[in-house]
Amino acid sequence: TALTISGVGVLWAGGSGLGSLAPFVRAPRSHRAELRRIRAEDGRALYGVELPDAAIEALAPARANRGADRFGRLNVAGVKATALAAGFDEAAIRAGCLADVGLVLSTTFGPWDSINRFVLELISEGPTGTSARTFANTVPNSAQGRVAIELGMKSHSTTLAGVPALSHAFDLYERGHTQHFIAGGADELSANVLTALSEDGTLAPQAPSAEPGPPFDRSSSGATAGEAYAGFFCESEASAKQRGVRPLAHILGYGIASDGRLADSFAHADPEGRCFVRAMQQALERARVSRDQVDAIIAAANGCAELDQGEAQAIRQVFDSERLVLAPKSATGECFGAASALGVAAGVALLADGDVRTLLVNSVDIGGNCTSMVLARI
């Protein structure tokens, strides 16, 4: 049976929930995200689109998550928001209703602030001067473990880097490994990461007046970094209806290909977009959807000229006529490990409009993977 999305959790700079993202899907430049000033270790001022701490605190209070770093609490808050959006309430979660729900989370940088803090302690204080609490948060899947403990999730669990969580979860479902799962992605702003990405040309020149994007604009000088969580409760349509929940979208299939030039930075993509061509063609074939059936495309474009140029070229090559192409990173910024999931969330919001029946969502990860996923309205 077809895999459906029956709940969407979203935490980003523009608000919480799918409804907060919907107004900016068709007109992303209408949102002017407030940039947070972040002080780099060398004293420079860096900027990014920040998720308000209050959005995390509302779902994962620091007092109830002692020992967790901000990244861990972001994941707990996001997965909880996803479960609530899927029709589960707080009492049911406490009673263990998520025990047999699988968990797949993707991130690019993970708990980088904790890793950096621990390394600085190790350098300055030596092994005996480091914090055991900080070390516990440096493990890449520590946030996922925190989620499983806090929300009572005891089924399949996977942490990914460089691959969208939803594509891996789709494979698990097709192979019968799990029938219910939450798949999402998260990343947070980090001074070290922003420093590196501003040096390699990924990010636009750092200034307090900078704005996200603009994707597909030849004058764009790079991406603007953001932070977010987006995730999905996935199950069969029959299961959702049995629970009394209205399914939001079908996931029909995906394709994935790699661009070796993206191994280190978004600034060095193949301008011909050959990986996007392969990914989109694979997705259409696997979903058994013709190019004529695709009404819209959610783009991966983020303001890096070669990446955007390559994706635009690929779209022209795969589709023989114009399509509605939307670039939500003009609103969200480039959110790295959360970007693919945010793109799918934007797709779900677009399907709810009513005039789009089938769409394709493109995403790209540092490391080289270009992924394309086909969604359809139920």
Side-chain angles (χ1 to χ4, degrees), residues 151-305:
L151 302 183
M153 303 179 74
K154 302 177 182 180
S155 185
H156 179 96
S157 180
T158 302
T159 300
L160 301 170
V163 179
L166 201 51
S167 61
H168 178 65
F170 183 85
D171 288 341
L172 293 175
Y173 178 82
E174 278 202 330
R175 295 169 185 173
H177 291 292
T178 183
Q179 296 302 303
H180 306 84
F181 55 84
I182 290 176
D187 259 318
E188 64 176 349
L189 294 173
S190 165
N192 273 24
V193 169
L194 293 185
T195 299
L197 296 179
S198 62
E199 289 288 339
D200 74 7
T202 295
L203 300 183
Q206 299 291 286
S209 59
E211 295 177 355
F216 296 127
D217 187 328
R218 292 185 180 275
S219 67
S220 179
S221 55
T224 297
E227 61 179 5
Y229 164 92
F232 312 92
F233 192 92
C234 298
E235 59 191 324
S236 69
E237 185 174 358
S239 171
K241 289 182 176 179
Q242 185 177 12
R243 294 196 302 111
V245 176
R246 182 178 68 86
L248 303 175
H250 283 306
I251 304 171
L252 301 183
Y254 77 92
I256 189 167
S258 184
D259 176 1
R261 293 181 54 170
L262 288 171
D264 300 315
S265 169
F266 286 148
H268 308 299
D270 173 14
E272 296 183 15
R274 285 167 286 193
C275 68
F276 279 116
V277 171
R278 290 192 291 272
M280 288 189 288
Q281 289 175 338
Q282 287 177 22
L284 293 173
E285 180 178 355
R286 188 172 184 181
R288 298 180 181 178
V289 168
S290 72
R291 61 184 181 179
D292 294 332
Q293 292 175 282
V294 175
D295 301 314
I297 298 167
I298 303 293
N302 63 8
C304 291

Side-chain angles (χ1 to χ4, degrees), residues 8 10 12 14 17-32 215-216 230 232 295-301 323-333 339-356 359-362 375:
V8 181
V10 177
W12 72 296
L18 191 61
S20 71
L21 187 63
F24 307 113
V25 174
R26 287 189 182 271
R29 295 308 302 278
S30 66
H31 177 67
R32 295 294 182 264
F216 296 127
F232 312 92
D295 301 314
I297 298 167
I298 303 293
R323 295 291 189 282
L324 174 65
V325 179
L326 302 172
K329 289 177 186 176
S330 291
T332 65
S340 172
L342 273 178
V344 173
V348 174
L350 186 61
L351 290 172
D353 278 356
D355 58 341
V356 172
L359 58 80
L360 186 147
V361 181
N362 286 338
L375 304 180

Side-chain angles (χ1 to χ4, degrees), residues 78-100:
V79 174
K80 186 175 182 181
T82 305
L84 293 172
F88 301 97
D89 59 26
E90 296 265 8
I93 293 173
R94 288 195 298 270
C97 67
L98 302 179
D100 65 344

